[in-house]
């Protein structure tokens, strides 16, 4: 059983002393820098599969959902239809920052929604199949939006550079004090609902 | 339903023309470069949670398992005990390479196994609680090994640099030809079993 007293690293790193808006700003700074996340879905046999996906823009300042343009014919849709619980994680090597969105994936094929997030480069991932239907454009029936509506977002925001972190860890190892060269921040379900009330229509 | 004919990107990118050893070499080059992966576990309510974890060394040349040293008191153990299916993903911003290990997590508290993978820096994540038992050393009862035994490993290996990839995508968008500026490689369950026969004792 998890036990906070015995896990001083997590306890020390947690920072709940920020407004939802400040937490979203920190989150967006990570996602903007990494650009590409790993979308994890669950197969019928229980296996967890991940693949790289770059969220589509534009992103509103208070937005906590993630939007992906994807090919309906790819295997991830089978997995999402079987279990809508997904995770999208971002890891930034340069800072060690990371973010984890635990949420529900919704599959949307609404033309307006696709148009809002379509970019010309997206076409390259579909290809024109030459049958007059699958043209790799916005009207191609393969094109779908995967919207991830988070239940909880958790992220690590390094408050020290890589060298400072290494020093923290080294000092921790010698002194027995727990290293925590950054902050663990959680955007809770109720904060997400609050923000979604602001941004959805 | 997924359909390979309608997903030319995946079909074009797949390369099955490599030996297991060549595939493992490519995989290791990614993991070595990124160093830190995202471990995704599943909660009792079905949510998928991810957090950054750096695999412990040393790594044998044919090794396909991942080993992590972790604190038994952290929440991920509750999730692994509930459902042992996990994913570990690696994303390398600098090359766009990524890897996904879909596997089963085993929790091990064997002292020899811990000793094999322990490094002095690890102590900093535990801290000395000052009770003479939880000292943050190798013998601390909180210290555990999470070994991830993969069912399938899938990874993307970029065969062109970032600029070349951008060109591929741009040309694809204009011509309707599908972009595939790299390879998707799969290390299958039977290949994993073959390799594990070589490396485990």
């Amino acid at each position: 059983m998890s036990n906070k007293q015995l896990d001083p690293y997590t306890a020390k790193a947690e920072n709940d002393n920020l407004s939802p808006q400040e937490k979203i700003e920190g989150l967006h700074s990570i996602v903007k820098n990494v650009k590409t996340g790993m979308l994890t879905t669950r197969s019928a046999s229980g296996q967890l599969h991940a693949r790289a996906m770059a969220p589509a823009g534009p992103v509103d300042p208070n937005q906590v959902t993630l939007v992906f343009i994807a090919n309906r014919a790819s295997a991830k849709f089978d997995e999402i239809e079987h279990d809508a619980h997904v995770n999208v994680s971002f890891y930034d090597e340069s800072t060690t920052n990371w973010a984890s969105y635990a949420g529900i994936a919704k599959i949307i094929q609404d033309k307006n929604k696709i148009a809002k997030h379509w970019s010309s480069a997206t076409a390259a991932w579909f290809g024109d199949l030459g049958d007059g239907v699958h043209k790799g454009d916005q009207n191609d029936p393969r094109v779908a939006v995967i919207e991830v509506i988070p239940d909880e977002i958790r992220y690590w925001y390094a408050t020290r550079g890589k060298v400072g972190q290494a020093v923290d860890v080294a000092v921790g190892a010698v002194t027995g004090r727990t290293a925590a060269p950054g902050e663990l921040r959680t955007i809770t379900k109720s904060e997400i609902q609050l923000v979604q009330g602001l941004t959805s229509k």
Side-chain angles (χ1 to χ4, degrees), chain A:
Chain A
M1 272 266 281
S2 60
N3 178 328
K4 289 208 169 185
Q5 246 112 50
L6 296 178
D7 188 7
Y9 157 68
T10 303
K12 188 173 173 185
E14 261 165 14
N15 178 359
D16 296 325
N17 200 19
L18 291 168
S19 71
Q21 212 150 32
E22 287 169 316
K23 288 194 272 190
I24 294 168
E25 273 171 30
L27 175 72
H28 281 182
S29 73
I30 296 171
V31 174
K32 245 188 224 164
N33 201 39
V34 192
K35 292 183 190 75
T36 299
M38 295 297 289
L39 170 68
T40 305
T41 54
R42 185 167 175 259
S43 77
S45 62
Q47 282 186 11
L48 300 182
H49 295 131
R51 75 286 287 160
M53 299 281 291
V59 178
D60 297 321
N62 284 314
Q63 186 181 324
V64 284
T65 58
L66 292 168
V67 171
F68 302 96
I69 300 274
N71 187 336
R72 201 77 183 73
S74 64
K76 56 188 161 292
F77 284 90
D78 298 345
E79 302 197 339
I80 290 171
E81 276 164 2
H82 178 76
D83 186 345
H85 288 93
V86 301
N87 184 278
V88 187
S89 69
F90 295 86
Y91 178 69
D92 184 350
E93 298 170 59
S94 63
T95 57
T96 75
N97 288 342
W98 59 262
S100 161
Y101 291 68
I104 298 291
K106 258 174 67 183
I107 299 168
I108 303 166
Q109 291 200 278
D110 175 77
K111 293 288 168 211
N112 294 329
K113 194 93 179 181
I114 291 169
K116 187 181 168 194
H117 299 290
W118 185 262
S119 77
S120 61
T122 316
W125 304 105
F126 291 90
D128 185 344
L129 301 191
D131 58 10
V133 175
H134 301 99
K135 298 198 279 190
D137 60 10
Q138 287 183 51
N139 296 310
D140 189 316
R142 292 173 297 167
V143 175
V145 164
I146 299 172
E147 187 167 15
V148 176
I149 299 143
D151 281 322
E152 184 188 87
I153 302 167
R154 220 166 142 75
Y155 70 96
W156 163 262
Y157 195 83
T159 48
R160 309 194 59 178
K162 269 196 170 176
V163 173
Q165 291 183 51
V167 170
D168 253 29
V169 170
V171 169
V174 171
T175 60
R177 280 191 287 121
T178 313
E183 296 179 358
L184 270 175
R185 298 178 185 171
T186 303
I187 305 179
T188 63
K189 193 174 180 77
S190 59
E191 289 173 330
I192 289 164
Q193 283 167 341
L194 181 78
V195 170
Q196 283 217 280
L198 284 176
T199 56
S200 60
K201 41 176 177 256

